[in-house]
Amino acid sequence: ANAHYRLGNYPPALEYCSQSRSLYEELKDKRNMARCMNRIGTIYKNQQNYKQALDALNESFNLYTTTNDSGGIAVSSNNLGETYRNTGDYTTALRYFQQTFALDSALQDTASMAQDAANIGETYRRLKQYDMARRSLLQALQLGGDALSRSEILTGLARLYY
């Protein structure tokens, strides 16, 4: 499933993820069921099938919540934020990105926190709240990350000025 996903071969990736999810359900393995549903949700998101993406991601989020998996909750929350942002529901997206930032902060995952702050900044930009966007993007830059992440954050800052 992962190889097909990375290659953009979504139909077989969906099929394999669905089969995996069914097997994990038989095993009553909620954490891996959540992981499968998260992947299914991101596939639907990438295909711009947002209703099915939200359904799968909400299931993933709920399963991770029942297993108290903070990292998994953060990943699902971030993907929900991205999906809502893609639909133009920036207020809901912002709420999920802020939740993700809080979870990643508790986990002391600074690389994820930088990405979360960048997502928050981009969402504020789309809401035309430029001061908040700038603050969030500067926070993301301060948190660091790899060179690619920093370049994306700088590009986000530049977008505020054109």
PDB file of all heavy atoms in Angstrom, residues 50-86:
ATOM      1  N   TYR A  50     -13.107  15.163  -0.779  1.00  0.00           N
ATOM      2  CA  TYR A  50     -12.997  15.662   0.586  1.00  0.00           C
ATOM      3  C   TYR A  50     -14.009  15.061   1.545  1.00  0.00           C
ATOM      4  O   TYR A  50     -13.704  14.880   2.718  1.00  0.00           O
ATOM      5  CB  TYR A  50     -13.064  17.185   0.592  1.00  0.00           C
ATOM      6  CG  TYR A  50     -11.918  17.798  -0.178  1.00  0.00           C
ATOM      7  CD1 TYR A  50     -12.144  18.688  -1.216  1.00  0.00           C
ATOM      8  CD2 TYR A  50     -10.592  17.464   0.118  1.00  0.00           C
ATOM      9  CE1 TYR A  50     -11.088  19.233  -1.934  1.00  0.00           C
ATOM     10  CE2 TYR A  50      -9.539  18.001  -0.600  1.00  0.00           C
ATOM     11  CZ  TYR A  50      -9.796  18.888  -1.618  1.00  0.00           C
ATOM     12  OH  TYR A  50      -8.750  19.418  -2.324  1.00  0.00           O
ATOM     13  N   LYS A  51     -15.211  14.731   1.083  1.00  0.00           N
ATOM     14  CA  LYS A  51     -16.185  14.142   2.004  1.00  0.00           C
ATOM     15  C   LYS A  51     -15.689  12.793   2.511  1.00  0.00           C
ATOM     16  O   LYS A  51     -15.704  12.532   3.713  1.00  0.00           O
ATOM     17  CB  LYS A  51     -17.549  13.989   1.343  1.00  0.00           C
ATOM     18  CG  LYS A  51     -18.527  13.397   2.369  1.00  0.00           C
ATOM     19  CD  LYS A  51     -19.887  13.143   1.872  1.00  0.00           C
ATOM     20  CE  LYS A  51     -20.821  12.521   2.882  1.00  0.00           C
ATOM     21  NZ  LYS A  51     -20.279  11.837   4.013  1.00  0.00           N
ATOM     22  N   GLN A  52     -15.228  11.940   1.592  1.00  0.00           N
ATOM     23  CA  GLN A  52     -14.715  10.632   2.021  1.00  0.00           C
ATOM     24  C   GLN A  52     -13.432  10.797   2.842  1.00  0.00           C
ATOM     25  O   GLN A  52     -13.204  10.041   3.775  1.00  0.00           O
ATOM     26  CB  GLN A  52     -14.492   9.723   0.818  1.00  0.00           C
ATOM     27  CG  GLN A  52     -15.807   9.194   0.255  1.00  0.00           C
ATOM     28  CD  GLN A  52     -15.581   8.210  -0.863  1.00  0.00           C
ATOM     29  OE1 GLN A  52     -15.207   8.602  -1.957  1.00  0.00           O
ATOM     30  NE2 GLN A  52     -15.797   6.940  -0.574  1.00  0.00           N
ATOM     31  N   ALA A  53     -12.625  11.788   2.499  1.00  0.00           N
ATOM     32  CA  ALA A  53     -11.409  12.051   3.277  1.00  0.00           C
ATOM     33  C   ALA A  53     -11.771  12.408   4.710  1.00  0.00           C
ATOM     34  O   ALA A  53     -11.193  11.851   5.654  1.00  0.00           O
ATOM     35  CB  ALA A  53     -10.605  13.182   2.641  1.00  0.00           C
ATOM     36  N   LEU A  54     -12.731  13.306   4.879  1.00  0.00           N
ATOM     37  CA  LEU A  54     -13.125  13.711   6.235  1.00  0.00           C
ATOM     38  C   LEU A  54     -13.713  12.546   7.019  1.00  0.00           C
ATOM     39  O   LEU A  54     -13.430  12.395   8.212  1.00  0.00           O
ATOM     40  CB  LEU A  54     -14.104  14.886   6.174  1.00  0.00           C
ATOM     41  CG  LEU A  54     -13.500  16.199   5.701  1.00  0.00           C
ATOM     42  CD1 LEU A  54     -14.585  17.237   5.448  1.00  0.00           C
ATOM     43  CD2 LEU A  54     -12.466  16.711   6.702  1.00  0.00           C
ATOM     44  N   ASP A  55     -14.508  11.708   6.359  1.00  0.00           N
ATOM     45  CA  ASP A  55     -15.078  10.535   7.036  1.00  0.00           C
ATOM     46  C   ASP A  55     -13.962   9.622   7.546  1.00  0.00           C
ATOM     47  O   ASP A  55     -13.970   9.196   8.707  1.00  0.00           O
ATOM     48  CB  ASP A  55     -16.001   9.748   6.097  1.00  0.00           C
ATOM     49  CG  ASP A  55     -17.300  10.479   5.789  1.00  0.00           C
ATOM     50  OD1 ASP A  55     -17.654  11.449   6.505  1.00  0.00           O
ATOM     51  OD2 ASP A  55     -17.973  10.084   4.806  1.00  0.00           O
ATOM     52  N   ALA A  56     -13.003   9.311   6.671  1.00  0.00           N
ATOM     53  CA  ALA A  56     -11.911   8.404   7.052  1.00  0.00           C
ATOM     54  C   ALA A  56     -11.020   9.034   8.121  1.00  0.00           C
ATOM     55  O   ALA A  56     -10.626   8.370   9.087  1.00  0.00           O
ATOM     56  CB  ALA A  56     -11.080   8.034   5.823  1.00  0.00           C
ATOM     57  N   LEU A  57     -10.715  10.314   7.967  1.00  0.00           N
ATOM     58  CA  LEU A  57      -9.832  10.980   8.935  1.00  0.00           C
ATOM     59  C   LEU A  57     -10.502  11.129  10.296  1.00  0.00           C
ATOM     60  O   LEU A  57      -9.835  11.008  11.328  1.00  0.00           O
ATOM     61  CB  LEU A  57      -9.376  12.338   8.393  1.00  0.00           C
ATOM     62  CG  LEU A  57      -8.446  12.246   7.182  1.00  0.00           C
ATOM     63  CD1 LEU A  57      -8.265  13.613   6.539  1.00  0.00           C
ATOM     64  CD2 LEU A  57      -7.102  11.634   7.577  1.00  0.00           C
ATOM     65  N   ASN A  58     -11.803  11.371  10.302  1.00  0.00           N
ATOM     66  CA  ASN A  58     -12.513  11.427  11.586  1.00  0.00           C
ATOM     67  C   ASN A  58     -12.514  10.068  12.266  1.00  0.00           C
ATOM     68  O   ASN A  58     -12.355   9.978  13.487  1.00  0.00           O
ATOM     69  CB  ASN A  58     -13.945  11.945  11.401  1.00  0.00           C
ATOM     70  CG  ASN A  58     -13.993  13.448  11.389  1.00  0.00           C
ATOM     71  OD1 ASN A  58     -13.458  14.102  12.274  1.00  0.00           O
ATOM     72  ND2 ASN A  58     -14.630  14.007  10.377  1.00  0.00           N
ATOM     73  N   GLU A  59     -12.668   9.007  11.483  1.00  0.00           N
ATOM     74  CA  GLU A  59     -12.600   7.662  12.065  1.00  0.00           C
ATOM     75  C   GLU A  59     -11.203   7.411  12.635  1.00  0.00           C
ATOM     76  O   GLU A  59     -11.056   6.883  13.739  1.00  0.00           O
ATOM     77  CB  GLU A  59     -12.956   6.595  11.036  1.00  0.00           C
ATOM     78  CG  GLU A  59     -12.968   5.202  11.646  1.00  0.00           C
ATOM     79  CD  GLU A  59     -13.405   4.105  10.685  1.00  0.00           C
ATOM     80  OE1 GLU A  59     -14.037   4.399   9.660  1.00  0.00           O
ATOM     81  OE2 GLU A  59     -13.087   2.932  10.986  1.00  0.00           O
ATOM     82  N   SER A  60     -10.180   7.807  11.893  1.00  0.00           N
ATOM     83  CA  SER A  60      -8.809   7.661  12.374  1.00  0.00           C
ATOM     84  C   SER A  60      -8.607   8.432  13.675  1.00  0.00           C
ATOM     85  O   SER A  60      -8.071   7.908  14.656  1.00  0.00           O
ATOM     86  CB  SER A  60      -7.827   8.152  11.305  1.00  0.00           C
ATOM     87  OG  SER A  60      -6.510   8.169  11.806  1.00  0.00           O
ATOM     88  N   PHE A  61      -9.055   9.670  13.681  1.00  0.00           N
ATOM     89  CA  PHE A  61      -8.928  10.528  14.863  1.00  0.00           C
ATOM     90  C   PHE A  61      -9.603   9.874  16.071  1.00  0.00           C
ATOM     91  O   PHE A  61      -9.025   9.807  17.167  1.00  0.00           O
ATOM     92  CB  PHE A  61      -9.555  11.896  14.559  1.00  0.00           C
ATOM     93  CG  PHE A  61      -9.449  12.894  15.671  1.00  0.00           C
ATOM     94  CD1 PHE A  61      -8.339  13.721  15.764  1.00  0.00           C
ATOM     95  CD2 PHE A  61     -10.448  13.011  16.619  1.00  0.00           C
ATOM     96  CE1 PHE A  61      -8.237  14.649  16.785  1.00  0.00           C
ATOM     97  CE2 PHE A  61     -10.358  13.926  17.639  1.00  0.00           C
ATOM     98  CZ  PHE A  61      -9.246  14.755  17.733  1.00  0.00           C
ATOM     99  N   ASN A  62     -10.810   9.370  15.873  1.00  0.00           N
ATOM    100  CA  ASN A  62     -11.551   8.746  16.973  1.00  0.00           C
ATOM    101  C   ASN A  62     -10.873   7.471  17.462  1.00  0.00           C
ATOM    102  O   ASN A  62     -10.823   7.218  18.679  1.00  0.00           O
ATOM    103  CB  ASN A  62     -12.997   8.473  16.558  1.00  0.00           C
ATOM    104  CG  ASN A  62     -13.777   9.760  16.373  1.00  0.00           C
ATOM    105  OD1 ASN A  62     -13.475  10.787  16.978  1.00  0.00           O
ATOM    106  ND2 ASN A  62     -14.785   9.717  15.521  1.00  0.00           N
ATOM    107  N   LEU A  63     -10.358   6.666  16.540  1.00  0.00           N
ATOM    108  CA  LEU A  63      -9.656   5.444  16.943  1.00  0.00           C
ATOM    109  C   LEU A  63      -8.382   5.771  17.718  1.00  0.00           C
ATOM    110  O   LEU A  63      -8.092   5.147  18.742  1.00  0.00           O
ATOM    111  CB  LEU A  63      -9.336   4.579  15.720  1.00  0.00           C
ATOM    112  CG  LEU A  63     -10.525   3.839  15.101  1.00  0.00           C
ATOM    113  CD1 LEU A  63     -10.187   3.358  13.696  1.00  0.00           C
ATOM    114  CD2 LEU A  63     -10.927   2.667  15.995  1.00  0.00           C
ATOM    115  N   TYR A  64      -7.620   6.742  17.221  1.00  0.00           N
ATOM    116  CA  TYR A  64      -6.415   7.150  17.955  1.00  0.00           C
ATOM    117  C   TYR A  64      -6.773   7.682  19.335  1.00  0.00           C
ATOM    118  O   TYR A  64      -6.055   7.461  20.302  1.00  0.00           O
ATOM    119  CB  TYR A  64      -5.627   8.202  17.173  1.00  0.00           C
ATOM    120  CG  TYR A  64      -4.692   7.661  16.125  1.00  0.00           C
ATOM    121  CD1 TYR A  64      -4.721   8.155  14.827  1.00  0.00           C
ATOM    122  CD2 TYR A  64      -3.756   6.672  16.430  1.00  0.00           C
ATOM    123  CE1 TYR A  64      -3.837   7.685  13.859  1.00  0.00           C
ATOM    124  CE2 TYR A  64      -2.880   6.188  15.469  1.00  0.00           C
ATOM    125  CZ  TYR A  64      -2.925   6.698  14.184  1.00  0.00           C
ATOM    126  OH  TYR A  64      -2.055   6.233  13.238  1.00  0.00           O
ATOM    127  N   THR A  65      -7.893   8.391  19.426  1.00  0.00           N
ATOM    128  CA  THR A  65      -8.321   8.936  20.718  1.00  0.00           C
ATOM    129  C   THR A  65      -8.628   7.811  21.700  1.00  0.00           C
ATOM    130  O   THR A  65      -8.247   7.886  22.873  1.00  0.00           O
ATOM    131  CB  THR A  65      -9.538   9.863  20.525  1.00  0.00           C
ATOM    132  OG1 THR A  65      -9.152  10.946  19.665  1.00  0.00           O
ATOM    133  CG2 THR A  65     -10.014  10.437  21.852  1.00  0.00           C
ATOM    134  N   THR A  66      -9.289   6.746  21.220  1.00  0.00           N
ATOM    135  CA  THR A  66      -9.620   5.637  22.128  1.00  0.00           C
ATOM    136  C   THR A  66      -8.373   4.894  22.605  1.00  0.00           C
ATOM    137  O   THR A  66      -8.409   4.246  23.647  1.00  0.00           O
ATOM    138  CB  THR A  66     -10.595   4.622  21.483  1.00  0.00           C
ATOM    139  OG1 THR A  66      -9.966   4.017  20.368  1.00  0.00           O
ATOM    140  CG2 THR A  66     -11.901   5.277  21.096  1.00  0.00           C
ATOM    141  N   THR A  67      -7.278   4.986  21.843  1.00  0.00           N
ATOM    142  CA  THR A  67      -6.041   4.315  22.249  1.00  0.00           C
ATOM    143  C   THR A  67      -5.071   5.267  22.959  1.00  0.00           C
ATOM    144  O   THR A  67      -3.967   4.864  23.314  1.00  0.00           O
ATOM    145  CB  THR A  67      -5.319   3.693  21.031  1.00  0.00           C
ATOM    146  OG1 THR A  67      -4.939   4.728  20.125  1.00  0.00           O
ATOM    147  CG2 THR A  67      -6.191   2.667  20.332  1.00  0.00           C
ATOM    148  N   ASN A  68      -5.503   6.518  23.145  1.00  0.00           N
ATOM    149  CA  ASN A  68      -4.666   7.537  23.810  1.00  0.00           C
ATOM    150  C   ASN A  68      -3.315   7.713  23.115  1.00  0.00           C
ATOM    151  O   ASN A  68      -2.297   7.927  23.775  1.00  0.00           O
ATOM    152  CB  ASN A  68      -4.462   7.207  25.296  1.00  0.00           C
ATOM    153  CG  ASN A  68      -5.751   7.267  26.074  1.00  0.00           C
ATOM    154  OD1 ASN A  68      -6.515   8.224  25.931  1.00  0.00           O
ATOM    155  ND2 ASN A  68      -6.007   6.248  26.870  1.00  0.00           N
ATOM    156  N   ASP A  69      -3.306   7.634  21.807  1.00  0.00           N
ATOM    157  CA  ASP A  69      -2.080   7.781  21.025  1.00  0.00           C
ATOM    158  C   ASP A  69      -1.949   9.245  20.591  1.00  0.00           C
ATOM    159  O   ASP A  69      -2.488   9.655  19.557  1.00  0.00           O
ATOM    160  CB  ASP A  69      -2.136   6.846  19.815  1.00  0.00           C
ATOM    161  CG  ASP A  69      -0.866   6.885  18.975  1.00  0.00           C
ATOM    162  OD1 ASP A  69      -0.116   7.883  19.031  1.00  0.00           O
ATOM    163  OD2 ASP A  69      -0.638   5.911  18.239  1.00  0.00           O
ATOM    164  N   SER A  70      -1.241  10.034  21.391  1.00  0.00           N
ATOM    165  CA  SER A  70      -1.127  11.478  21.133  1.00  0.00           C
ATOM    166  C   SER A  70      -0.487  11.769  19.784  1.00  0.00           C
ATOM    167  O   SER A  70      -0.910  12.685  19.067  1.00  0.00           O
ATOM    168  CB  SER A  70      -0.321  12.164  22.233  1.00  0.00           C
ATOM    169  OG  SER A  70      -0.995  12.062  23.454  1.00  0.00           O
ATOM    170  N   GLY A  71       0.532  11.006  19.414  1.00  0.00           N
ATOM    171  CA  GLY A  71       1.175  11.209  18.120  1.00  0.00           C
ATOM    172  C   GLY A  71       0.218  10.937  16.980  1.00  0.00           C
ATOM    173  O   GLY A  71       0.173  11.688  15.993  1.00  0.00           O
ATOM    174  N   GLY A  72      -0.553   9.869  17.082  1.00  0.00           N
ATOM    175  CA  GLY A  72      -1.532   9.545  16.060  1.00  0.00           C
ATOM    176  C   GLY A  72      -2.646  10.572  15.989  1.00  0.00           C
ATOM    177  O   GLY A  72      -3.086  10.951  14.892  1.00  0.00           O
ATOM    178  N   ILE A  73      -3.087  11.044  17.155  1.00  0.00           N
ATOM    179  CA  ILE A  73      -4.116  12.084  17.186  1.00  0.00           C
ATOM    180  C   ILE A  73      -3.591  13.330  16.472  1.00  0.00           C
ATOM    181  O   ILE A  73      -4.306  13.953  15.681  1.00  0.00           O
ATOM    182  CB  ILE A  73      -4.534  12.413  18.633  1.00  0.00           C
ATOM    183  CG1 ILE A  73      -5.211  11.206  19.291  1.00  0.00           C
ATOM    184  CG2 ILE A  73      -5.466  13.631  18.667  1.00  0.00           C
ATOM    185  CD1 ILE A  73      -5.388  11.337  20.798  1.00  0.00           C
ATOM    186  N   ALA A  74      -2.327  13.675  16.725  1.00  0.00           N
ATOM    187  CA  ALA A  74      -1.733  14.858  16.093  1.00  0.00           C
ATOM    188  C   ALA A  74      -1.691  14.711  14.577  1.00  0.00           C
ATOM    189  O   ALA A  74      -2.021  15.646  13.841  1.00  0.00           O
ATOM    190  CB  ALA A  74      -0.327  15.109  16.651  1.00  0.00           C
ATOM    191  N   VAL A  75      -1.295  13.532  14.105  1.00  0.00           N
ATOM    192  CA  VAL A  75      -1.228  13.298  12.653  1.00  0.00           C
ATOM    193  C   VAL A  75      -2.615  13.402  12.032  1.00  0.00           C
ATOM    194  O   VAL A  75      -2.810  14.071  11.005  1.00  0.00           O
ATOM    195  CB  VAL A  75      -0.576  11.930  12.349  1.00  0.00           C
ATOM    196  CG1 VAL A  75      -0.738  11.557  10.887  1.00  0.00           C
ATOM    197  CG2 VAL A  75       0.895  11.948  12.738  1.00  0.00           C
ATOM    198  N   SER A  76      -3.609  12.752  12.646  1.00  0.00           N
ATOM    199  CA  SER A  76      -4.978  12.817  12.121  1.00  0.00           C
ATOM    200  C   SER A  76      -5.520  14.238  12.179  1.00  0.00           C
ATOM    201  O   SER A  76      -6.175  14.703  11.243  1.00  0.00           O
ATOM    202  CB  SER A  76      -5.903  11.887  12.904  1.00  0.00           C
ATOM    203  OG  SER A  76      -5.625  10.548  12.613  1.00  0.00           O
ATOM    204  N   SER A  77      -5.243  14.927  13.263  1.00  0.00           N
ATOM    205  CA  SER A  77      -5.706  16.308  13.419  1.00  0.00           C
ATOM    206  C   SER A  77      -5.105  17.203  12.338  1.00  0.00           C
ATOM    207  O   SER A  77      -5.800  18.033  11.733  1.00  0.00           O
ATOM    208  CB  SER A  77      -5.333  16.820  14.815  1.00  0.00           C
ATOM    209  OG  SER A  77      -5.774  18.133  15.006  1.00  0.00           O
ATOM    210  N   ASN A  78      -3.815  17.026  12.063  1.00  0.00           N
ATOM    211  CA  ASN A  78      -3.167  17.805  11.009  1.00  0.00           C
ATOM    212  C   ASN A  78      -3.807  17.511   9.650  1.00  0.00           C
ATOM    213  O   ASN A  78      -4.089  18.434   8.873  1.00  0.00           O
ATOM    214  CB  ASN A  78      -1.678  17.491  10.960  1.00  0.00           C
ATOM    215  CG  ASN A  78      -0.978  18.309   9.901  1.00  0.00           C
ATOM    216  OD1 ASN A  78      -0.829  19.517  10.045  1.00  0.00           O
ATOM    217  ND2 ASN A  78      -0.566  17.661   8.832  1.00  0.00           N
ATOM    218  N   ASN A  79      -4.063  16.241   9.360  1.00  0.00           N
ATOM    219  CA  ASN A  79      -4.671  15.884   8.079  1.00  0.00           C
ATOM    220  C   ASN A  79      -6.100  16.406   7.971  1.00  0.00           C
ATOM    221  O   ASN A  79      -6.538  16.816   6.883  1.00  0.00           O
ATOM    222  CB  ASN A  79      -4.608  14.380   7.852  1.00  0.00           C
ATOM    223  CG  ASN A  79      -3.206  13.921   7.520  1.00  0.00           C
ATOM    224  OD1 ASN A  79      -2.435  14.658   6.914  1.00  0.00           O
ATOM    225  ND2 ASN A  79      -2.872  12.716   7.914  1.00  0.00           N
ATOM    226  N   LEU A  80      -6.826  16.425   9.083  1.00  0.00           N
ATOM    227  CA  LEU A  80      -8.157  17.038   9.075  1.00  0.00           C
ATOM    228  C   LEU A  80      -8.035  18.531   8.780  1.00  0.00           C
ATOM    229  O   LEU A  80      -8.804  19.079   7.981  1.00  0.00           O
ATOM    230  CB  LEU A  80      -8.858  16.804  10.419  1.00  0.00           C
ATOM    231  CG  LEU A  80      -9.459  15.419  10.605  1.00  0.00           C
ATOM    232  CD1 LEU A  80      -9.711  15.122  12.073  1.00  0.00           C
ATOM    233  CD2 LEU A  80     -10.749  15.289   9.802  1.00  0.00           C
ATOM    234  N   GLY A  81      -7.051  19.189   9.399  1.00  0.00           N
ATOM    235  CA  GLY A  81      -6.839  20.609   9.130  1.00  0.00           C
ATOM    236  C   GLY A  81      -6.534  20.877   7.672  1.00  0.00           C
ATOM    237  O   GLY A  81      -7.091  21.796   7.058  1.00  0.00           O
ATOM    238  N   GLU A  82      -5.657  20.064   7.088  1.00  0.00           N
ATOM    239  CA  GLU A  82      -5.323  20.242   5.669  1.00  0.00           C
ATOM    240  C   GLU A  82      -6.545  20.042   4.789  1.00  0.00           C
ATOM    241  O   GLU A  82      -6.743  20.778   3.817  1.00  0.00           O
ATOM    242  CB  GLU A  82      -4.222  19.264   5.260  1.00  0.00           C
ATOM    243  CG  GLU A  82      -2.863  19.606   5.811  1.00  0.00           C
ATOM    244  CD  GLU A  82      -1.792  18.601   5.415  1.00  0.00           C
ATOM    245  OE1 GLU A  82      -2.128  17.578   4.765  1.00  0.00           O
ATOM    246  OE2 GLU A  82      -0.625  18.841   5.761  1.00  0.00           O
ATOM    247  N   THR A  83      -7.358  19.049   5.126  1.00  0.00           N
ATOM    248  CA  THR A  83      -8.541  18.763   4.312  1.00  0.00           C
ATOM    249  C   THR A  83      -9.547  19.905   4.412  1.00  0.00           C
ATOM    250  O   THR A  83     -10.079  20.369   3.388  1.00  0.00           O
ATOM    251  CB  THR A  83      -9.173  17.425   4.736  1.00  0.00           C
ATOM    252  OG1 THR A  83      -8.175  16.405   4.647  1.00  0.00           O
ATOM    253  CG2 THR A  83     -10.352  17.055   3.840  1.00  0.00           C
ATOM    254  N   TYR A  84      -9.799  20.381   5.639  1.00  0.00           N
ATOM    255  CA  TYR A  84     -10.722  21.514   5.783  1.00  0.00           C
ATOM    256  C   TYR A  84     -10.175  22.756   5.082  1.00  0.00           C
ATOM    257  O   TYR A  84     -10.936  23.501   4.457  1.00  0.00           O
ATOM    258  CB  TYR A  84     -11.013  21.806   7.257  1.00  0.00           C
ATOM    259  CG  TYR A  84     -12.081  20.905   7.824  1.00  0.00           C
ATOM    260  CD1 TYR A  84     -11.770  19.915   8.744  1.00  0.00           C
ATOM    261  CD2 TYR A  84     -13.419  21.034   7.434  1.00  0.00           C
ATOM    262  CE1 TYR A  84     -12.752  19.083   9.256  1.00  0.00           C
ATOM    263  CE2 TYR A  84     -14.405  20.202   7.943  1.00  0.00           C
ATOM    264  CZ  TYR A  84     -14.065  19.238   8.854  1.00  0.00           C
ATOM    265  OH  TYR A  84     -15.044  18.415   9.356  1.00  0.00           O
ATOM    266  N   ARG A  85      -8.874  22.976   5.150  1.00  0.00           N
ATOM    267  CA  ARG A  85      -8.295  24.133   4.457  1.00  0.00           C
ATOM    268  C   ARG A  85      -8.497  23.986   2.950  1.00  0.00           C
ATOM    269  O   ARG A  85      -8.828  24.957   2.268  1.00  0.00           O
ATOM    270  CB  ARG A  85      -6.814  24.287   4.802  1.00  0.00           C
ATOM    271  CG  ARG A  85      -6.213  25.565   4.215  1.00  0.00           C
ATOM    272  CD  ARG A  85      -4.827  25.839   4.713  1.00  0.00           C
ATOM    273  NE  ARG A  85      -3.909  24.798   4.299  1.00  0.00           N
ATOM    274  CZ  ARG A  85      -2.701  24.628   4.840  1.00  0.00           C
ATOM    275  NH1 ARG A  85      -2.277  25.422   5.801  1.00  0.00           N
ATOM    276  NH2 ARG A  85      -1.919  23.663   4.406  1.00  0.00           N
ATOM    277  N   ASN A  86      -8.328  22.773   2.434  1.00  0.00           N
ATOM    278  CA  ASN A  86      -8.530  22.540   0.997  1.00  0.00           C
ATOM    279  C   ASN A  86      -9.971  22.794   0.569  1.00  0.00           C
ATOM    280  O   ASN A  86     -10.220  23.131  -0.585  1.00  0.00           O
ATOM    281  CB  ASN A  86      -8.113  21.124   0.611  1.00  0.00           C
ATOM    282  CG  ASN A  86      -6.615  20.919   0.663  1.00  0.00           C
ATOM    283  OD1 ASN A  86      -5.850  21.855   0.806  1.00  0.00           O
ATOM    284  ND2 ASN A  86      -6.202  19.672   0.571  1.00  0.00           N
TER     285      ASN A  86
END
